[in-house]
């Protein structure tokens, strides 16, 4: 999606403002209002912008973005936004409808995944969530990984700086500091895995959301249980998945925390494979620290699964 660029200030106003140092200009300008669609994007924007902007969720707390249908009051909120940051590859398709129906159909949009190497959606999940890009259905869960986050944070900061040059230096500096923290989270986790997982160490997931995260540990997903997020497999699908998990000698299954389901217990009981819950980062309050907190927990869970699963 092409960004809509703002016009320059009238010359009589721009010259004295431009004479100020970058930091002074940023302080003098009114805070921006930046729309976001998912919890991780709230955390990223809040850390990039600092006091220069307010991150405004388009999806209210308590609504699952997978099943979200825009409400009139949520659409009206877009009229007061300066820019919207999107996942843009299948996880927040509702946002396009909201923007088109709003008072600001020309609001600038930043597609955060523009520079992220995308993984294809595989198996049954390919028929679920994701956009078709270059003829392939891609996995839209780039936000559940450190590498994906770092790339998107950089893109968001760069695009915000292009839209608001007077604040570009602040955005860039905040993004660098935030990405340093994210790299340290990953480095600390990887340092706890003293030996790379064996090629025979196979993992399965209940939901096809964790491929990007697991790739950072050198793991490939061998099987995905759900046909799409929140859609339970039929009895025949479940039976085939259990047979596949057994046949492939899967060592670990990653499930989704905050999303209990009876069939998860069935899989664990039938296969004897231990379950390790990972956060989808879509539940609870929007906070600046949410992504770091829940990704640190996810990283620790993967480390534990590798250590314990490797001994099974």
């Amino acid at each position: 999606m092409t960004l809509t660029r703002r016009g320059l200030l009238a010359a009589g106003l721009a010259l004295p403002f431009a004479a100020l140092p970058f930091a002074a200009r940023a302080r003098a300008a009114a805070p921006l209002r930046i729309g976001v669609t998912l919890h991780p994007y709230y955390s990223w924007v809040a850390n990039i912008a600092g006091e220069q902007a307010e991150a405004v969720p388009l999806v209210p707390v308590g609504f699952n973005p997978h099943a979200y249908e825009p409400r009139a009051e949520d659409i009206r909120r877009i009229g007061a936004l300066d820019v919207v940051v999107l996942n843009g590859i299948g996880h927040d398709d509702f946002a396009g409808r909201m923007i088109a129906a709003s008072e600001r159909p020309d609001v600038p949009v930043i597609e955060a995944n523009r520079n992220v190497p995308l993984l294809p959606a595989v198996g049954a999940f390919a028929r679920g969530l994701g956009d078709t890009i270059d003829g392939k259905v891609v996995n839209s869960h780039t936000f559940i990984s450190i590498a994906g986050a770092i790339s998107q944070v950089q893109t968001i900061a760069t695009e915000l700086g292009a839209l608001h040059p007077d604040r570009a230096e602040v955005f860039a500096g905040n993004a660098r500091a935030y990405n340093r923290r994210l790299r340290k989270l990953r480095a600390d986790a990887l340092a706890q895995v003293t030996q790379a997982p064996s090629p025979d160490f196979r993992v399965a997931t209940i939901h096809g959301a964790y491929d990007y995260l697991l790739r950072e540990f050198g793991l490939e997903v061998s099987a995905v249980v759900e046909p799409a997020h929140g859609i339970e497999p039929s009895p025949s699908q479940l039976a085939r998945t259990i047979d596949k998990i057994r046949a492939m000698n899967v060592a670990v299954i990653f499930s989704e925390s905050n999303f209990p389901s009876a069939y998860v217990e069935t899989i664990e009981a039938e296969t004897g494979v231990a379950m390790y819950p990972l956060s989808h980062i879509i539940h609870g309050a929007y906070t600046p620290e949410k992504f770091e907190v829940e990704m640190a927990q996810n990283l620790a869970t993967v480390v534990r699964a590798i250590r314990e699963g490797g001994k099974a």
Side-chain angles (χ1 to χ4, degrees):
M1 186 180 297
T2 302
L3 298 182
T4 303
R5 303 294 183 184
R6 294 185 179 278
L8 295 174
L9 293 173
L13 295 175
L15 286 177
F17 189 73
L20 294 172
F22 272 114
R25 275 184 262 167
R27 286 194 298 271
L32 304 173
R33 287 174 57 82
I34 304 173
V36 296
T37 53
L38 304 172
H39 286 73
Y41 294 90
Y42 182 97
S43 294
W44 300 344
V45 167
N47 280 277
I48 293 167
E51 297 180 355
Q52 303 306 312
E54 174 189 2
V56 180
L58 301 190
V59 180
V61 172
F63 285 78
N64 188 330
H66 287 290
Y68 175 68
E69 287 297 328
R71 305 178 303 172
E73 58 264 41
D74 301 329
I75 293 172
R76 283 195 294 271
R77 195 177 301 121
I78 292 175
L81 299 179
D82 295 287
V83 61
V84 177
V85 174
L86 298 181
N87 168 269
I89 54 172
H91 223 85
D92 50 15
D93 290 342
F94 58 84
R97 302 195 302 274
M98 293 178 72
I99 292 170
S102 75
E103 298 174 1
R104 293 212 59 202
D106 62 343
V107 65
V109 170
I110 295 173
E111 292 190 343
N113 278 290
R114 189 185 65 187
N115 298 314
V116 177
L118 301 177
L119 296 176
V122 296
F125 182 64
R127 300 190 296 274
L129 196 64
D131 265 4
T132 300
I133 297 177
D134 295 332
K136 296 180 180 179
V137 181
V138 298
N139 190 326
S140 61
H141 297 81
T142 54
F143 53 88
I144 311 180
S145 78
I146 297 297
I150 288 170
S151 177
Q152 291 178 81
V153 165
Q154 184 60 49
T155 294
I156 293 167
T158 299
E159 294 294 343
L160 284 175
L163 288 166
H164 301 278
D166 55 299
R167 309 173 197 242
E169 189 174 280
V170 174
F171 295 150
N174 288 345
R176 285 193 297 270
Y178 186 63
N179 278 344
R180 279 196 295 271
R181 299 207 304 271
L182 297 185
R183 289 188 181 93
K184 186 176 187 305
L185 278 180
R186 180 175 57 191
D188 289 347
L190 291 174
Q192 298 177 56
V193 181
T194 56
Q195 186 173 349
S198 163
D200 296 329
F201 185 87
R202 295 187 174 92
V203 304
T205 61
I206 296 299
H207 173 47
Y210 308 116
D211 300 58
Y212 293 97
L213 169 61
L214 296 175
R215 285 282 183 99
E216 298 195 74
F217 288 85
L219 299 175
E220 297 278 350
V221 176
S222 298
V224 179
V225 177
E226 287 183 349
H229 188 262
I231 299 178
E232 296 194 0
S234 67
S236 61
Q237 289 173 327
L238 184 58
R240 286 195 299 271
T241 301
I242 288 173
D243 288 342
K244 185 176 181 179
I245 289 171
R246 287 171 173 163
M248 298 187 72
N249 196 27
V250 167
V252 164
I253 301 175
F254 292 101
S255 61
E256 182 181 348
S257 57
N258 300 314
F259 199 82
S261 183
Y263 75 83
V264 173
E265 296 179 0
T266 300
I267 293 173
E268 190 169 17
E270 291 293 326
T271 64
V273 179
M275 294 275 182
Y276 293 83
L278 295 171
S279 172
H280 203 67
I281 321 181
I282 61 172
H283 299 278
Y286 291 89
T287 65
E289 65 275 6
K290 186 177 186 66
F291 180 78
E292 288 173 270
V293 170
E294 297 198 17
M295 277 302 297
Q297 294 169 352
N298 282 345
L299 293 167
T301 297
V302 176
V303 168
R304 183 165 58 89
I306 291 173
R307 287 177 167 178
E308 295 174 355
K311 297 176 182 177

